[in-house]
Amino acid sequence: MAGREQAAQRVAALRHEIEQHNVRYYVYDEPSIPDAEYDRLMGELTALETEHPELVTPDSPTQRVGAAPLAEFGSVQHAVPMLSLGNGFDDEDVLAFDKRVGDTLRGAGLLGPAEAARYFCELKLDGLAITLRYEDGELVQAATRGDGQTGEDVTANIRTIKAIPLRLKGPAPEVLEVRGEVLMNRSDFERLNQKQAARDEKVFVNPRNAAAGSLRQLDPRVTAQRPLRFFAYSWGEVRGLPAGTPVVFDETGGAVRASSLPRDTHGGMLQWLAGLGLPVNVRFNHEAIGAEGLLAFYRRIGAERSGLPYDIDGVVYKVDALAAQRVLGFVARAPRWALAHKFPAEEAVTDLLGIEVQVGRTGAITPVARLKPVFVGGVTVTNATLHNEDEIRRKDVRVGDVVVVRRAGDVIPEVVGPVLERRAADFPLFVMPTECPVCGSAIERPEGETIARCTGGLFCPAQRKQTLLHAAGRKALDIEGLGEKLIDQLVDQGRLKTLADVFTLDAFELAALERMGKKSAENLVAAIEQARRPSLGRLLFALGIRHVGETTARDVARHFGNIEAIMQADEAALLEVPDVGPVVAGSIHRFFLEAHNRDVVHQLQQRGVQPQAEAQTQDGNLTGKTFVLTGTMPTWSRDEATRYILAAGGKVSGSVSKKTAYVVAGEEAGSKLVKAQELGVTILDEDGLKALLGQ
């Protein structure tokens, strides 16, 4: 048995060497020794710690194997909120961002009249955002981003990731929160899926999905077997740095000290974090000057993207000088001094096997491409929209073609066009069918419109199903439990022919349906009963009148006061409703000219549906102000926020324009926030909206 002093020296040397190899392998992708040699070093360290258990410390590489399974994840309140970023999608967005930054900094005297702003550029890693909390240099807590204010405690799982130091190097702050991304390399992802498939276990969709799933395992021992990596890109709370270090400003505008920085910059802070032993993506981090430098970086990374070891979905630009960041400040929950520049939609090629048509709620006939399965945008795609007959002609898409398929985020996949050089024969042109594939009614294309429609109306089961599903939705009658599969059964059985039939359903017959138990049936009947007293606006929206959205329905309901007045109104009367134009007025008038539509309303009334008058708005400080809501707010749903705005006399729109007074931006706000910034529209978060409302 080795002497204790000799063992302690060897343990220290082994730990240092193993951690160095971990950094080379997991941070820089440059393994410095064969796997067998790494395993030998770990085996020697494990043996020594077994002989001398008093030498085992929490930061030893042997302690990354994972503890016992957790019952659930606890919650962690972030000391400093984890911010989201505004998004840019084209060169104009970047030019506008650089102009806003330059104008603000020149106004503050931080830039000369002709001087360009300096930026720090990074890759936008496609992983899971994490915050690490170190106290006196030791990792004590790790949490997911969550809603930006509160995340999940994943400390036990984070400790298993070899790229993350359990103890920082050198003099460390009393408190240091490090923000970064947990991810998985593509090659590691492929090997993991091969192992999962061999064990007949779940395979993951993409590396991000695999990383997120691995990190949220209740059993840390499972996480320990997953090849996760980490890169730091920012910081949160920093407190109690060693004396004698220069003072800089952190992301929240507070003063902190950072050691030996070349200047008070974002890049300098990351150099300091790297010096503490934290993984920083130094290989691709880059400094740029002005919009021209930003776009050059974007294009370079775009060209190299396919050769990177991991997935990225864009690049990030940050104003480098921390003093400048402080001046620029924040909007909603995003910094004004940073922008995420997203890459274009992801594309792939595959075979077009056929073109079918689908029938929508309003009878719209949409051609759909049936594809040979292809993996694009993070999912396997088998169907993609072709929009309409004109688009098929314009793109010259034909069954049998090899086609380009595009999918970005959660957007419905679409066929971009054919790969003409791979067209093997003179394939026939697509011809729109003349009869509805569901009900056999004629398909017509109204003059001046691009969309062909089934003329069957509610006689067509496809339209009936979609109409009923729309009516039961949360923004209409909100009948919880009346979903697509149940509606399919009831329509196919002939039980539901109109919306009024929904209010004749009883628990006994519902319980006899497939996948419906007694309790579910009773709950659905209770939801139907609750829907008998909807607001007039909700009922009007539930009827599915073409061109009438929830806001228009509410405005019309408030103007006329009752359903009879709306049914009797001519186009001239409807045009008196604020923001109702000729198209909407004509659509409402034609809808109620149809006897069967008036019959449905009368049947609803006979079956106990009593629409309630919309509350009339009172003049207030929001009267005449137009709001746009985007993203997810911490405590209010969009419906709640809309109700409060309307009650105070304001209006809510779905798009940003020069007439917009305020944009209320929550988490993951997208292009509406970018448009608001471009137009100089005032941006609020939930607290700002509450302040306007006097709450």
Side-chain angles (χ1 to χ4, degrees), residues 81 225 266 351 421 452 454 468:
Q225 298 170 13
H266 194 94
D351 296 334
E421 57 268 33
C454 166
L468 291 169

Side-chain angles (χ1 to χ4, degrees), residues 338-404:
L339 181 75
H341 190 178
K342 296 292 192 70
F343 285 123
E346 294 190 29
E347 298 180 344
V349 295
T350 189
D351 296 334
L352 176 58
L353 304 178
I355 298 177
E356 300 175 3
V357 296
Q358 291 182 341
V359 187
R361 174 173 59 86
T362 62
I365 303 294
T366 302
V368 176
R370 302 304 182 195
L371 305 168
K372 181 179 179 180
V374 61
F375 191 80
V376 56
V379 300
T380 299
V381 172
T382 56
N383 303 321
T385 182
L386 286 163
H387 299 292
N388 55 60
E389 187 177 14
D390 287 351
E391 276 291 284
I392 296 176
R393 291 280 186 273
R394 184 182 66 80
K395 294 176 179 178
D396 189 21
V397 174
R398 309 184 189 189
V399 175
D401 275 338
V402 174
V403 294
V404 177

